[in-house]
Amino acid sequence: MDDVNIPGEYSVMAWGEVYEYNTPDMNYVDVNNPTPLSPYTSWATAANDIGSAVKKASSYDTVLIADGIYNTASQINVTKRLEIRSVNGPEAVTVDAGGNHRVFNLVSDNGSILLEGCAVTGGYTSGSGGGIATRGSNEIHIANCIIEGNEAEGAGGGISCRDTNAVITRCIIRNNTGKSA
């Protein structure tokens, strides 16, 4: 089973029974790809914006982000079980809303969500959570991110965790503005 990390269908025999399963697909994002082609399942066909890859991904998939600065046209809504990861960490991947809207809205009612290795900046909302807003019944894990330079008219300029089991590890959260509690 050396190829178990390659997406696809596998059969496993255990206790005399054969079990079929599918591994999650990878959905690739590269801001410098001039010819994105859905379903974004290779670097050659990678989406050039994160929101498109998230929308196309199925539950349990991984969205893998190449180095670059990703200026978002609208908030990135994640409402299914996904892992969103950068290849080389928050020093290499910046997701910037340009002060126009929230960067990420993570809603975990349909399964847990992982956001890892991104710099999240330039978010703005008239509500709470300018950079990232979280809510939902399943775990949301935010890891190894830099969340800075975001603003909310409500609480949580950088991040707002509401009615959720959010776990934030190895993140730097700095220089964000929340105007009310």
Side-chain angles (χ1 to χ4, degrees), residues 39-125:
Y40 317 122
T41 55
S42 72
W43 287 117
T45 63
N48 53 19
D49 70 280
I50 298 165
S52 293
V54 166
K55 286 177 191 171
K56 190 63 179 173
S58 298
S59 288
Y60 296 90
D61 284 357
T62 297
V63 174
L64 191 60
I65 308 168
D67 298 356
I69 298 172
Y70 294 83
N71 296 305
T72 60
S74 62
Q75 127 181 316
I76 300 168
N77 291 303
V78 182
T79 58
K80 53 194 155 193
R81 182 182 178 122
L82 281 181
E83 292 186 1
I84 302 167
R85 300 173 180 264
S86 71
V87 174
N88 292 309
E91 295 81 12
V93 172
T94 299
V95 188
D96 189 344
N100 297 311
H101 49 81
R102 177 182 292 129
V103 183
F104 284 100
N105 184 43
L106 309 177
V107 181
S108 67
D109 290 332
N110 295 312
S112 61
I113 296 169
L114 170 68
L115 175 64
E116 183 175 27
C118 296
V120 177
T121 191
Y124 170 81
T125 183

Coordinates of all heavy atoms in Angstrom, one line a residue, residues 39-125:
P39 N -11.8 20.0 -12.9 CA -12.0 20.1 -11.5 C -10.7 20.3 -10.7 O -10.7 20.0 -9.5 CB -12.6 18.7 -11.1 CG -11.9 17.8 -12.1 CD -11.8 18.6 -13.4
Y40 N -9.7 20.9 -11.2 CA -8.5 21.4 -10.5 C -7.7 20.2 -9.8 O -7.2 20.4 -8.7 CB -8.8 22.5 -9.5 CG -9.8 23.5 -10.1 CD1 -11.0 23.7 -9.4 CD2 -9.5 24.2 -11.2 CE1 -11.9 24.7 -9.9 CE2 -10.4 25.2 -11.7 CZ -11.6 25.4 -11.0 OH -12.5 26.3 -11.5
T41 N -7.6 19.1 -10.5 CA -7.0 17.9 -9.8 C -5.5 17.7 -10.1 O -5.0 16.6 -9.9 CB -7.8 16.7 -10.2 OG1 -7.9 16.6 -11.6 CG2 -9.2 16.7 -9.6
S42 N -4.9 18.7 -10.7 CA -3.4 18.7 -10.9 C -2.9 20.1 -10.9 O -3.6 21.0 -11.0 CB -3.1 18.0 -12.2 OG -3.4 18.8 -13.3
W43 N -1.6 20.2 -10.8 CA -1.0 21.6 -10.8 C -1.2 22.2 -12.2 O -1.4 23.4 -12.3 CB 0.5 21.5 -10.5 CG 0.7 21.3 -9.0 CD1 1.4 20.3 -8.4 CD2 0.3 22.2 -7.9 NE1 1.4 20.4 -7.0 CE2 0.8 21.6 -6.7 CE3 -0.4 23.4 -7.8 CZ2 0.5 22.1 -5.5 CZ3 -0.6 23.9 -6.6 CH2 -0.2 23.3 -5.4
A44 N -1.2 21.4 -13.3 CA -1.4 21.9 -14.6 C -2.8 22.5 -14.8 O -2.9 23.4 -15.7 CB -1.1 20.8 -15.6
T45 N -3.8 22.0 -14.1 CA -5.1 22.5 -14.2 C -5.6 23.2 -13.0 O -6.8 23.5 -12.9 CB -6.1 21.3 -14.5 OG1 -6.1 20.4 -13.3 CG2 -5.7 20.5 -15.7
A46 N -4.7 23.6 -12.1 CA -5.0 24.2 -10.9 C -5.9 25.5 -11.0 O -5.7 26.3 -12.0 CB -3.8 24.6 -10.1
A47 N -6.8 25.7 -10.1 CA -7.6 26.9 -10.0 C -6.6 28.1 -9.7 O -5.6 27.8 -9.1 CB -8.6 26.8 -8.9
N48 N -6.9 29.3 -10.1 CA -6.1 30.4 -9.8 C -6.6 31.2 -8.7 O -6.1 32.3 -8.4 CB -5.6 31.2 -11.0 CG -6.8 31.7 -11.8 OD1 -7.9 31.7 -11.4 ND2 -6.5 32.0 -13.1
D49 N -7.7 30.8 -8.1 CA -8.3 31.4 -6.9 C -8.8 30.3 -5.9 O -9.2 29.3 -6.3 CB -9.4 32.4 -7.2 CG -10.6 31.8 -7.7 OD1 -10.7 31.4 -8.9 OD2 -11.6 31.6 -6.9
I50 N -8.7 30.6 -4.7 CA -9.0 29.6 -3.6 C -10.5 29.3 -3.6 O -10.9 28.1 -3.5 CB -8.5 30.1 -2.2 CG1 -7.0 30.2 -2.3 CG2 -8.9 29.1 -1.2 CD1 -6.4 31.0 -1.1
G51 N -11.3 30.3 -3.8 CA -12.8 30.1 -3.7 C -13.3 29.1 -4.7 O -14.1 28.3 -4.4
S52 N -12.7 29.1 -5.9 CA -13.2 28.2 -7.0 C -12.8 26.8 -6.6 O -13.6 25.9 -6.8 CB -12.5 28.5 -8.3 OG -13.0 29.8 -8.8
A53 N -11.6 26.6 -6.1 CA -11.2 25.2 -5.7 C -12.1 24.7 -4.5 O -12.5 23.5 -4.5 CB -9.8 25.2 -5.3
V54 N -12.4 25.6 -3.6 CA -13.2 25.2 -2.4 C -14.6 24.8 -2.9 O -15.2 23.8 -2.5 CB -13.3 26.3 -1.4 CG1 -14.4 26.1 -0.4 CG2 -11.9 26.5 -0.7
K55 N -15.2 25.6 -3.8 CA -16.5 25.3 -4.3 C -16.6 24.0 -5.1 O -17.5 23.2 -4.9 CB -17.0 26.4 -5.3 CG -17.4 27.7 -4.6 CD -17.8 28.7 -5.6 CE -17.9 30.1 -4.9 NZ -18.1 31.2 -5.8
K56 N -15.5 23.7 -5.8 CA -15.5 22.4 -6.6 C -15.2 21.2 -5.8 O -15.6 20.1 -6.1 CB -14.5 22.6 -7.7 CG -14.5 21.5 -8.8 CD -15.8 21.5 -9.5 CE -15.9 20.4 -10.5 NZ -17.2 20.3 -11.1
A57 N -14.5 21.4 -4.7 CA -14.1 20.2 -3.9 C -15.3 19.5 -3.3 O -16.3 20.2 -3.0 CB -13.1 20.7 -2.8
S58 N -15.1 18.2 -3.1 CA -16.1 17.5 -2.4 C -15.8 17.3 -0.9 O -14.6 17.5 -0.5 CB -16.2 16.1 -3.0 OG -16.6 16.1 -4.3
S59 N -16.7 17.0 -0.1 CA -16.4 16.7 1.3 C -15.3 15.7 1.4 O -15.2 14.8 0.7 CB -17.6 16.2 2.1 OG -18.6 17.2 2.2
Y60 N -14.4 15.9 2.4 CA -13.2 15.1 2.7 C -12.1 15.4 1.8 O -11.0 14.8 2.0 CB -13.6 13.6 2.7 CG -14.5 13.2 3.7 CD1 -15.9 13.2 3.5 CD2 -14.1 12.8 5.0 CE1 -16.8 12.8 4.5 CE2 -15.0 12.5 6.0 CZ -16.4 12.5 5.7 OH -17.2 12.1 6.7
D61 N -12.2 16.2 0.8 CA -11.1 16.6 -0.1 C -10.1 17.5 0.6 O -10.4 18.1 1.7 CB -11.6 17.3 -1.4 CG -12.2 16.3 -2.3 OD1 -12.2 15.1 -2.1 OD2 -12.7 16.8 -3.4
T62 N -8.9 17.7 0.0 CA -7.9 18.6 0.4 C -7.7 19.7 -0.7 O -7.6 19.3 -1.9 CB -6.6 17.9 0.6 OG1 -6.8 17.0 1.7 CG2 -5.5 18.9 1.0
V63 N -7.7 20.9 -0.3 CA -7.4 22.0 -1.2 C -6.0 22.4 -0.9 O -5.7 22.9 0.2 CB -8.4 23.2 -1.1 CG1 -7.9 24.4 -1.9 CG2 -9.8 22.8 -1.4
L64 N -5.1 22.3 -1.9 CA -3.6 22.5 -1.7 C -3.3 23.8 -2.4 O -3.5 23.9 -3.6 CB -2.8 21.4 -2.2 CG -1.3 21.3 -1.8 CD1 -1.2 21.3 -0.3 CD2 -0.7 20.1 -2.4
I65 N -2.7 24.8 -1.7 CA -2.4 26.1 -2.3 C -0.9 26.3 -2.5 O -0.1 26.2 -1.6 CB -3.0 27.2 -1.3 CG1 -4.4 26.9 -1.0 CG2 -2.8 28.6 -1.9 CD1 -5.0 27.8 0.2
A66 N -0.6 26.7 -3.7 CA 0.8 27.0 -4.1 C 1.2 28.4 -3.6 O 0.3 29.3 -3.2 CB 1.0 27.0 -5.6
D67 N 2.4 28.7 -3.5 CA 2.9 30.0 -3.0 C 2.3 31.2 -3.9 O 2.1 31.0 -5.1 CB 4.4 30.1 -3.1 CG 5.1 29.1 -2.2 OD1 4.5 28.4 -1.5 OD2 6.4 29.0 -2.3
G68 N 2.0 32.3 -3.2 CA 1.6 33.5 -3.9 C 0.7 34.3 -3.0 O 0.4 34.0 -1.9
I69 N 0.3 35.5 -3.6 CA -0.7 36.4 -2.9 C -2.0 36.2 -3.7 O -2.1 36.4 -4.9 CB -0.2 37.8 -3.0 CG1 1.1 37.9 -2.3 CG2 -1.2 38.8 -2.5 CD1 1.8 39.3 -2.4
Y70 N -3.0 35.8 -2.9 CA -4.3 35.6 -3.4 C -5.3 36.7 -3.0 O -5.7 36.8 -1.8 CB -4.9 34.2 -2.9 CG -4.1 33.1 -3.5 CD1 -2.9 32.7 -2.9 CD2 -4.5 32.4 -4.6 CE1 -2.1 31.6 -3.4 CE2 -3.7 31.3 -5.2 CZ -2.5 31.0 -4.6 OH -1.8 30.0 -5.1
N71 N -5.6 37.6 -3.9 CA -6.6 38.6 -3.6 C -8.0 38.1 -3.9 O -8.2 37.6 -5.0 CB -6.3 39.9 -4.5 CG -4.9 40.4 -4.2 OD1 -4.6 40.8 -3.1 ND2 -4.0 40.5 -5.2
T72 N -8.8 38.2 -2.9 CA -10.1 37.6 -3.0 C -11.2 38.6 -3.5 O -11.2 39.7 -3.0 CB -10.6 37.0 -1.6 OG1 -10.6 38.0 -0.7 CG2 -9.6 35.9 -1.2
A73 N -12.0 38.1 -4.4 CA -13.1 39.0 -4.9 C -14.3 39.0 -4.0 O -15.1 39.9 -4.0 CB -13.5 38.5 -6.3
S74 N -14.4 37.9 -3.2 CA -15.5 37.8 -2.2 C -15.0 36.9 -1.1 O -14.0 36.2 -1.2 CB -16.8 37.2 -2.8 OG -16.5 36.0 -3.4
Q75 N -15.8 36.8 0.0 CA -15.4 36.0 1.1 C -15.4 34.5 0.7 O -16.2 34.1 -0.2 CB -16.4 36.2 2.3 CG -17.1 35.1 2.9 CD -18.1 35.5 4.0 OE1 -17.7 36.4 4.8 NE2 -19.2 35.0 4.0
I76 N -14.5 33.7 1.2 CA -14.4 32.3 0.9 C -15.2 31.5 1.9 O -14.9 31.5 3.1 CB -12.9 31.8 0.9 CG1 -12.1 32.6 -0.1 CG2 -12.8 30.3 0.7 CD1 -10.6 32.5 0.0
N77 N -16.3 30.9 1.4 CA -17.2 30.2 2.3 C -16.9 28.7 2.3 O -16.8 28.1 1.2 CB -18.6 30.4 1.8 CG -19.1 31.8 2.0 OD1 -19.1 32.3 3.2 ND2 -19.6 32.4 1.0
V78 N -16.6 28.2 3.4 CA -16.3 26.7 3.5 C -17.4 26.1 4.4 O -17.5 26.4 5.6 CB -14.9 26.5 4.2 CG1 -14.6 25.0 4.2 CG2 -13.8 27.2 3.4
T79 N -18.3 25.3 3.8 CA -19.4 24.7 4.5 C -19.5 23.2 4.4 O -20.5 22.6 4.6 CB -20.7 25.3 3.8 OG1 -20.7 25.0 2.5 CG2 -20.8 26.8 4.0
K80 N -18.3 22.6 4.0 CA -18.3 21.1 4.0 C -16.9 20.7 4.6 O -16.1 21.5 4.9 CB -18.4 20.6 2.6 CG -17.4 21.3 1.6 CD -17.8 21.0 0.2 CE -17.2 22.0 -0.7 NZ -17.8 22.0 -2.1
R81 N -16.8 19.4 4.9 CA -15.6 18.9 5.5 C -14.5 19.0 4.5 O -14.5 18.3 3.5 CB -15.9 17.5 5.9 CG -14.7 16.9 6.6 CD -14.9 15.4 7.0 NE -13.7 14.9 7.6 CZ -13.7 14.4 8.8 NH1 -14.8 14.3 9.6 NH2 -12.6 13.9 9.3
L82 N -13.5 19.9 4.8 CA -12.4 20.1 3.9 C -11.1 20.3 4.7 O -11.2 20.8 5.9 CB -12.6 21.3 3.1 CG -13.5 21.3 1.9 CD1 -13.5 22.6 1.2 CD2 -13.1 20.2 0.9
E83 N -10.0 20.1 4.1 CA -8.7 20.5 4.6 C -8.2 21.5 3.5 O -8.1 21.2 2.3 CB -7.7 19.4 4.7 CG -8.1 18.4 5.8 CD -7.0 17.3 6.0 OE1 -6.0 17.3 5.3 OE2 -7.3 16.5 6.9
I84 N -7.8 22.7 4.0 CA -7.3 23.8 3.1 C -5.9 24.0 3.6 O -5.7 24.5 4.8 CB -8.2 25.0 3.2 CG1 -9.6 24.7 2.8 CG2 -7.6 26.1 2.3 CD1 -10.6 25.8 3.1
R85 N -4.9 23.7 2.8 CA -3.5 23.8 3.3 C -2.6 24.5 2.2 O -2.8 24.3 1.0 CB -2.9 22.4 3.4 CG -3.6 21.5 4.4 CD -3.0 20.0 4.3 NE -3.6 19.1 5.2 CZ -3.1 18.8 6.4 NH1 -2.0 19.4 6.8 NH2 -3.7 18.0 7.2
S86 N -1.7 25.2 2.7 CA -0.7 25.8 1.8 C 0.5 24.8 1.7 O 0.7 24.0 2.6 CB -0.1 27.1 2.3 OG 0.7 27.0 3.4
V87 N 1.2 24.9 0.6 CA 2.4 24.0 0.4 C 3.5 24.4 1.3 O 4.2 23.6 1.9 CB 2.9 24.1 -1.1 CG1 4.1 23.3 -1.3 CG2 1.8 23.5 -2.0
N88 N 3.8 25.7 1.5 CA 5.0 26.2 2.2 C 4.8 27.1 3.3 O 5.7 27.8 3.8 CB 6.0 26.8 1.2 CG 6.5 25.8 0.2 OD1 7.1 24.8 0.6 ND2 6.4 26.1 -1.1
G89 N 3.6 27.2 3.9 CA 3.3 27.9 5.1 C 2.9 29.4 4.9 O 2.9 29.9 3.8
P90 N 2.6 30.1 6.0 CA 2.0 31.4 5.9 C 3.0 32.5 5.4 O 2.6 33.6 5.0 CB 1.6 31.7 7.4 CG 2.5 30.9 8.2 CD 2.7 29.6 7.4
E91 N 4.3 32.2 5.4 CA 5.2 33.2 4.9 C 5.2 33.2 3.3 O 5.6 34.1 2.7 CB 6.7 32.9 5.3 CG 6.9 33.1 6.8 CD 6.4 31.9 7.6 OE1 6.1 30.8 7.1 OE2 6.3 32.0 8.9
A92 N 4.6 32.1 2.8 CA 4.6 31.9 1.3 C 3.2 32.1 0.7 O 3.1 32.3 -0.5 CB 5.2 30.6 0.9
V93 N 2.2 32.0 1.5 CA 0.8 32.2 1.0 C 0.0 33.2 1.7 O -0.1 33.1 3.0 CB 0.0 30.8 1.0 CG1 -1.4 31.0 0.7 CG2 0.7 29.8 0.1
T94 N -0.4 34.3 1.0 CA -1.2 35.3 1.6 C -2.5 35.4 1.0 O -2.6 35.4 -0.3 CB -0.5 36.7 1.5 OG1 0.8 36.7 2.1 CG2 -1.3 37.8 2.0
V95 N -3.6 35.4 1.8 CA -5.0 35.5 1.3 C -5.4 36.9 1.8 O -5.6 37.1 3.0 CB -5.9 34.4 1.8 CG1 -7.2 34.4 1.1 CG2 -5.2 33.0 1.6
D96 N -5.7 37.8 0.8 CA -5.9 39.2 1.1 C -7.3 39.7 0.6 O -7.5 39.6 -0.6 CB -4.8 40.1 0.5 CG -4.8 41.5 0.9 OD1 -5.9 42.0 1.4 OD2 -3.8 42.2 0.7
A97 N -8.2 40.2 1.4 CA -9.5 40.7 1.0 C -9.5 42.1 0.7 O -10.5 42.7 0.3 CB -10.5 40.4 2.1
G98 N -8.3 42.8 0.8 CA -8.2 44.2 0.4 C -9.1 45.2 1.1 O -9.4 46.2 0.6
G99 N -9.6 44.8 2.3 CA -10.4 45.7 3.1 C -11.9 45.7 2.6 O -12.7 46.5 3.1
N100 N -12.2 44.8 1.8 CA -13.6 44.8 1.1 C -14.6 43.8 1.8 O -15.8 44.0 1.6 CB -13.5 44.5 -0.3 CG -12.7 45.5 -1.1 OD1 -12.9 46.7 -0.9 ND2 -11.7 45.1 -1.8
H101 N -14.1 42.8 2.4 CA -15.0 41.7 2.9 C -14.2 40.8 3.9 O -13.0 40.9 3.9 CB -15.7 40.9 1.8 CG -14.6 40.5 0.8 ND1 -13.9 39.4 1.0 CD2 -14.2 41.0 -0.4 CE1 -13.0 39.2 0.0 NE2 -13.2 40.2 -0.9
R102 N -14.9 39.9 4.6 CA -14.2 38.9 5.4 C -13.4 38.0 4.5 O -13.8 37.8 3.3 CB -15.3 38.1 6.1 CG -14.8 37.0 7.0 CD -15.9 36.2 7.7 NE -16.5 37.0 8.7 CZ -17.9 37.2 8.7 NH1 -18.7 36.6 7.9 NH2 -18.4 37.9 9.7
V103 N -12.4 37.4 5.0 CA -11.5 36.5 4.2 C -12.1 35.1 4.1 O -12.5 34.6 3.1 CB -10.1 36.5 4.7 CG1 -9.2 35.6 3.8 CG2 -9.5 37.9 4.7
F104 N -12.3 34.5 5.3 CA -12.8 33.1 5.4 C -14.0 33.1 6.3 O -14.0 33.6 7.4 CB -11.8 32.2 6.0 CG -10.7 31.8 5.0 CD1 -9.5 32.4 5.1 CD2 -10.9 30.8 4.1 CE1 -8.4 32.0 4.2 CE2 -9.9 30.4 3.2 CZ -8.6 31.0 3.3
N105 N -15.1 32.4 5.9 CA -16.2 32.1 6.7 C -16.3 30.5 6.8 O -16.5 29.9 5.8 CB -17.5 32.6 6.0 CG -18.7 32.4 6.9 OD1 -18.7 32.6 8.1 ND2 -19.8 32.0 6.3
L106 N -16.0 30.0 7.9 CA -15.9 28.5 8.1 C -17.1 28.1 8.9 O -17.2 28.4 10.1 CB -14.6 28.2 8.9 CG -13.3 28.8 8.3 CD1 -12.1 28.4 9.2 CD2 -13.1 28.3 6.8
V107 N -17.9 27.2 8.3 CA -19.1 26.7 9.0 C -19.0 25.2 9.0 O -19.1 24.6 7.9 CB -20.4 27.2 8.2 CG1 -21.6 26.7 8.9 CG2 -20.4 28.7 8.1
S108 N -18.9 24.6 10.1 CA -18.6 23.2 10.2 C -19.8 22.3 10.5 O -19.6 21.2 11.0 CB -17.5 23.0 11.3 OG -18.1 23.3 12.6
D109 N -21.0 22.7 10.1 CA -22.2 21.8 10.4 C -22.1 20.5 9.6 O -22.8 19.6 10.0 CB -23.4 22.6 10.1 CG -23.7 23.7 11.0 OD1 -23.3 23.6 12.2 OD2 -24.3 24.7 10.6
N110 N -21.4 20.5 8.5 CA -21.3 19.3 7.7 C -20.0 18.5 7.8 O -19.7 17.7 7.0 CB -21.6 19.6 6.2 CG -23.0 20.2 6.0 OD1 -23.9 19.6 6.5 ND2 -23.1 21.3 5.3
G111 N -19.3 18.8 8.9 CA -18.0 18.1 9.1 C -16.9 19.0 9.5 O -17.0 20.2 9.3
S112 N -15.8 18.5 10.0 CA -14.7 19.3 10.5 C -14.0 20.0 9.4 O -14.0 19.5 8.2 CB -13.8 18.5 11.4 OG -13.2 17.4 10.6
I113 N -13.4 21.1 9.7 CA -12.6 21.9 8.7 C -11.2 22.2 9.3 O -11.1 22.5 10.4 CB -13.4 23.2 8.5 CG1 -14.7 23.0 7.9 CG2 -12.5 24.2 7.6 CD1 -15.6 24.2 7.8
L114 N -10.2 22.1 8.4 CA -8.9 22.5 8.7 C -8.4 23.6 7.8 O -8.6 23.5 6.6 CB -7.9 21.3 8.6 CG -6.4 21.6 8.6 CD1 -6.0 22.1 10.0 CD2 -5.6 20.5 8.2
L115 N -7.9 24.7 8.3 CA -7.2 25.7 7.6 C -5.8 25.8 8.1 O -5.6 26.1 9.3 CB -8.0 27.1 7.8 CG -7.3 28.3 7.1 CD1 -7.2 28.2 5.6 CD2 -8.0 29.6 7.5
E116 N -4.8 25.6 7.2 CA -3.5 25.5 7.7 C -2.5 26.2 6.8 O -2.5 26.0 5.6 CB -3.0 24.0 7.8 CG -1.6 23.9 8.4 CD -1.3 22.4 8.6 OE1 -1.8 21.5 8.0 OE2 -0.5 22.2 9.5
G117 N -1.6 27.0 7.4 CA -0.5 27.6 6.7 C -0.7 28.7 5.8 O -0.1 28.9 4.7
C118 N -1.7 29.6 6.1 CA -2.0 30.8 5.3 C -1.8 32.1 6.2 O -2.1 32.1 7.3 CB -3.4 30.7 4.8 SG -3.8 29.4 3.7
A119 N -1.4 33.1 5.5 CA -1.5 34.5 6.1 C -2.8 35.0 5.7 O -3.2 35.0 4.5 CB -0.4 35.4 5.6
V120 N -3.6 35.5 6.6 CA -5.0 36.0 6.4 C -5.0 37.5 6.7 O -4.8 37.8 7.9 CB -6.0 35.2 7.2 CG1 -7.4 35.8 7.0 CG2 -6.0 33.7 6.9
T121 N -5.2 38.3 5.7 CA -5.1 39.8 5.9 C -6.1 40.5 5.1 O -6.7 40.0 4.1 CB -3.7 40.2 5.6 OG1 -3.5 41.6 6.0 CG2 -3.4 40.1 4.1
G122 N -6.3 41.8 5.5 CA -7.2 42.7 4.7 C -8.7 42.4 4.8 O -9.5 42.9 4.0
G123 N -9.1 41.6 5.8 CA -10.5 41.3 5.9 C -11.2 42.4 6.6 O -10.7 43.1 7.5
Y124 N -12.5 42.6 6.2 CA -13.4 43.6 6.9 C -14.8 43.1 6.9 O -15.3 42.4 5.9 CB -13.4 44.9 6.1 CG -14.4 45.8 6.6 CD1 -14.2 46.6 7.8 CD2 -15.7 45.9 6.0 CE1 -15.2 47.4 8.3 CE2 -16.7 46.7 6.6 CZ -16.4 47.4 7.7 OH -17.4 48.2 8.2
T125 N -15.5 43.3 8.0 CA -16.9 43.0 8.1 C -17.6 44.0 9.0 O -17.0 44.5 10.0 CB -17.1 41.6 8.6 OG1 -18.5 41.3 8.6 CG2 -16.6 41.4 10.0

